[in-house]
Amino acid sequence: MPSNNPAQDRYNPPGTTSPDFESVKFSEINTGELFWLEENKDSSNHAYRKTSETNALNTKLQEVRTFTRNDDVFFKI
C-alpha cells in the first residue's frame, strides 16, 4: 500500500518498516545516548542508553550490559 506522504517516502521507501539506522561502534557513541542492537523496530529490540565506556542500560528491562569498544550497534538517525 503506497504512502500518501511523499516526505515520508524519501526517508522510508514503501515496503520499509524500520526507521533509518546507522551502524556504529560502541566506542563512537557518547555517554547518555540511545542505541539499539539490531536495525529494526521489533518490540524485542530494546533501546540501550550508554552509561560508561563499557556499560549500557537496557531502557525497557533496566538491566546493565557490558560492551566492548568494537561492538557493532545501531544509532537512530
Side-chain angles (χ1 to χ4, degrees):
M1 179 168 123
S3 170
N4 291 331
N5 184 346
Q8 181 65 29
D9 288 347
R10 274 190 301 231
Y11 300 104
N12 295 316
T16 302
T17 58
S18 64
D20 294 329
F21 286 92
E22 181 178 328
S23 178
V24 295
K25 299 293 183 192
F26 181 76
S27 62
E28 297 173 1
I29 295 177
N30 294 325
T31 299
E33 290 188 310
L34 292 175
F35 66 92
W36 288 259
L37 300 182
E38 299 174 13
E39 187 178 13
N40 65 50
K41 283 178 66 173
D42 188 85
S43 63
S44 65
N45 186 26
H46 303 152
Y48 284 79
R49 185 173 303 279
K50 185 173 180 177
T51 57
S52 73
E53 291 304 311
T54 57
N55 294 324
L57 178 70
N58 180 314
T59 59
K60 178 138 179 132
L61 303 176
Q62 298 296 299
E63 297 173 348
V64 175
R65 178 174 170 167
T66 302
F67 291 86
T68 67
R69 292 181 50 78
N70 293 323
D71 283 341
D72 290 319
V73 296
F74 294 93
F75 186 77
K76 199 183 244 187
I77 55 174

